């Protein structure tokens, strides 16, 4: 197949196919040798940046986005640095990139999003011994020196990410949430791919698995590879109980902004931030206008009890610290809001989550909102 692809006069229309199978790499003993320079190798990665998004992707993205119901929390985000997910995938450059198999657009796997969020919660928020009870509930699993799980995670951590199987303590269980793949937002002008270079300075040392010493006389070998550039938008989606999904989304956004996702995060790669206005998914494609997104039902006007709560909350937050306001809600408003209808309780809890933004209060805030919505 590789020989047939070399005969093409133009690039394949799918970036993944072009990046993984069409690469003009050299051959040694009939095997692909990524670092053997061949004709066209220098210009090849740059040419891949010209591949356009498929005309029908806008409609496919719109259908996928509109498939989420009321049991899902969605949030558009954009890259603030280069993004390199799937760098360990098979690729002619030895540096892979995760591309949607059908549409040929960048994608962030849900497993990667769940993993970075779980790591962020366990290392930043959870604590095995802490006077705050919910920080104890957010602690991660306990491991021995060999990486074997010997202790269960906290209750809230288990609900978010699941509980691993522990020898002698019964089977594990899955979490209550589904972290969906983050798809490239339809309607953007390009795929946003950018070139990067990894220069190997001690090739003999790496090729011999450390048997040859790293020396300064080895020729440096620059390897060009593709990354996702800045200001490229993706849509995050988490399915599950709404209160839990909204908490997980806030944790995920913090993790993406502070820790990053994918490879090379230690040098600043993989950072994303929320955007208020996603790229338009309605565009003129191949001479026709893509279908606009479905019109969502406008929520009814809040009842007197909810109106009073929202007015009180906004007024108190103007002059009080958030910890004090949260304590007042627990004492004064929890029972009053709890007597309202389910929709009013959900809207009240959602308003509280939007206004209380102190990260240290997240576990306590989630417990209060769950109690209000119960």
């Amino acid at each position: 197949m590789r020989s047939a692809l070399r005969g093409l006069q133009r690039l394949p229309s799918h970036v993944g196919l072009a990046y993984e199978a069409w690469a003009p790499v050299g051959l040694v003993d009939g095997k692909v040798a990524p670092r053997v320079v061949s004709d066209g190798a220098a210009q090849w990665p740059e040419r891949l940046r010209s591949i356009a998004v498929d005309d029908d992707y806008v409609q496919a993205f719109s259908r996928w986005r509109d498939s989420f119901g009321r049991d899902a929390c969605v949030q558009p985000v954009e890259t603030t640095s280069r993004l390199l997910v799937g760098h360990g995938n098979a690729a002619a450059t030895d540096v892979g990139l995760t591309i949607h198999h059908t549409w040929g657009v960048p994608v962030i796997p849900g497993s990667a999003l769940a993993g970075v969020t779980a790591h962020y919660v366990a290392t930043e928020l959870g604590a095995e011994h802490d006077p705050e009870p919910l920080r104890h509930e957010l602690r991660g699993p306990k491991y021995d020196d060999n990486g074997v799980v010997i202790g269960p995670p906290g209750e809230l951590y288990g609900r978010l990410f699941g509980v691993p199987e522990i020898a002698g303590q019964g089977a594990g269980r899955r979490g209550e949430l589904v972290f969906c793949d983050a798809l490239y937002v339809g309607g953007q002008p390009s795929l946003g791919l950018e070139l990067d270079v990894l220069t190997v300075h001690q090739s003999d040392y790496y090729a011999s698995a450390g048997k040859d010493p790293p020396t300064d006389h080895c020729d440096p070998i620059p390897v060009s590879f593709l990354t996702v550039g800045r200001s490229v938008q993706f849509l995050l989606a988490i399915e599950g109980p709404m209160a839990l999904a909204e908490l997980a989304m806030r944790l995920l956004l913090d993790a993406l902004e502070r820790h990053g996702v994918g490879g090379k995060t230690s040098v600043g790669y993989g950072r994303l931030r929320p955007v208020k206005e996603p790229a338009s998914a309605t565009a003129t494609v191949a001479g026709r206008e893509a279908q606009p997104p479905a019109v969502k039902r406008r929520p009814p006007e809040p009842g007197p009890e909810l109106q009073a709560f929202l007015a009180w909350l906004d007024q108190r937050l103007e002059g009080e610290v958030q910890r004090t306001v949260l304590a007042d809600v627990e004492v004064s408003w929890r029972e009053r809001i709890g007597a309202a209808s389910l929709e009013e309780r959900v809207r009240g809890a959602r308003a509280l989550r939007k206004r209380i933004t102190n990260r240290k209060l997240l576990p306590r805030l989630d417990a209060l909102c769950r109690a209000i919505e119960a």
Side-chain angles (χ1 to χ4, degrees):
M1 185 177 85
R2 189 175 297 277
S3 300
L5 286 172
R6 279 205 190 94
L8 292 178
Q9 298 301 313
R10 59 186 179 87
L11 287 170
S13 59
H14 192 289
V15 171
L17 177 64
Y19 195 54
E20 297 169 7
W22 190 76
V25 297
L27 297 175
V28 175
D29 296 331
K31 296 182 180 180
V32 174
R35 296 195 179 97
V36 176
V37 178
S38 61
D39 295 339
Q43 297 78 23
W44 164 70
E46 179 66 32
R47 292 182 62 192
L48 299 190
R49 298 180 58 200
S50 64
I51 296 178
V53 185
D54 189 279
D55 290 343
D56 293 325
Y57 178 70
V58 170
Q59 294 180 332
F61 173 80
S62 296
R63 288 195 300 268
W64 173 78
R65 180 197 57 200
D66 295 340
S67 68
F68 295 107
R70 299 186 62 178
D71 58 343
C73 184
V74 298
Q75 172 65 53
V77 292
E78 67 177 359
T79 55
T80 59
S81 65
R82 293 177 183 268
L83 175 68
L84 181 59
V85 178
H87 62 289
N89 296 349
T93 61
D94 274 354
V95 182
L97 183 67
T98 300
I99 299 294
H100 196 283
H101 290 294
T102 303
W103 293 106
V105 296
V107 60
I108 308 176
S111 57
L113 298 172
V116 70
T117 309
H119 176 73
Y120 169 73
V121 169
T123 57
E124 300 279 348
L125 300 178
E128 188 171 357
H129 304 289
D130 193 280
E132 181 68 50
L134 284 177
R135 281 179 63 84
H136 186 68
E137 289 191 19
L138 284 172
R139 73 188 188 280
K142 189 175 181 180
Y143 300 87
D144 64 12
D145 295 338
N146 297 319
V148 178
V149 180
I150 58 175
E155 178 61 28
L156 185 52
Y157 182 100
R159 293 186 63 197
L160 290 168
F161 309 109
V163 178
E165 183 177 354
I166 304 173
Q169 299 188 32
R173 71 173 190 272
R174 60 173 295 176
E176 300 178 27
L177 300 175
V178 175
F179 287 76
C180 302
D181 294 347
L183 295 191
Y184 168 91
V185 172
Q188 298 179 79
S190 71
L191 290 175
L193 300 179
E194 293 183 1
L195 288 182
D196 204 343
V197 176
L198 176 67
T199 303
V200 181
H201 289 274
Q202 285 90 22
S203 57
D204 293 344
Y205 170 75
Y206 293 110
S208 65
K211 294 180 181 179
D212 294 336
T215 59
D216 293 333
H217 63 264
C218 293
D219 292 333
I221 303 176
V223 177
S224 298
F225 60 94
L226 289 178
T227 65
V228 179
R230 296 172 178 82
S231 302
V232 177
Q233 294 186 12
F234 294 85
L235 186 67
L236 306 177
I238 301 177
E239 294 183 303
M242 183 53 68
L244 207 61
E246 288 185 344
L247 171 63
M249 182 62 74
R250 294 179 64 180
L251 296 172
L252 172 57
L253 293 175
D254 281 348
L256 293 176
E257 190 171 359
R258 300 179 63 183
H259 285 205
V261 64
K264 298 170 73 73
T265 55
S266 61
V267 293
Y269 280 47
R271 268 55 174 187
L272 297 99
R273 66 183 176 193
V275 293
K276 295 181 180 179
E277 295 295 334
S280 173
T282 303
T284 301
V285 183
R288 66 186 187 281
E289 185 174 336
Q291 293 298 320
V295 178
K296 296 184 178 180
R297 179 180 65 89
R298 184 177 180 180
E301 291 297 324
E305 198 68 41
L306 181 57
Q307 285 183 339
F309 172 67
L310 297 179
W312 174 88
L313 186 60
D314 290 336
Q315 182 181 13
R316 289 296 306 275
L317 286 173
E318 290 181 359
E320 295 283 353
V321 297
Q322 293 186 3
R323 185 181 297 273
T324 302
V325 175
L326 187 61
D328 289 344
V329 175
E330 292 172 333
V331 173
S332 305
W333 283 95
R334 178 173 169 176
E335 292 186 2
R336 291 179 60 180
I337 293 296
S341 66
L342 176 59
E343 185 170 0
E344 295 271 278
R345 297 200 306 272
V346 170
R347 294 177 67 182
R350 189 170 299 174
L352 190 60
R353 285 193 178 92
K354 290 182 178 179
R355 289 163 172 81
I356 303 295
T357 57
N358 189 331
R359 292 189 180 97
K360 294 182 179 179
L361 299 177
L362 282 179
R364 183 174 167 187
L365 173 65
D366 179 65
L368 175 60
C369 291
R370 282 192 289 159
I372 291 175
E373 295 171 329

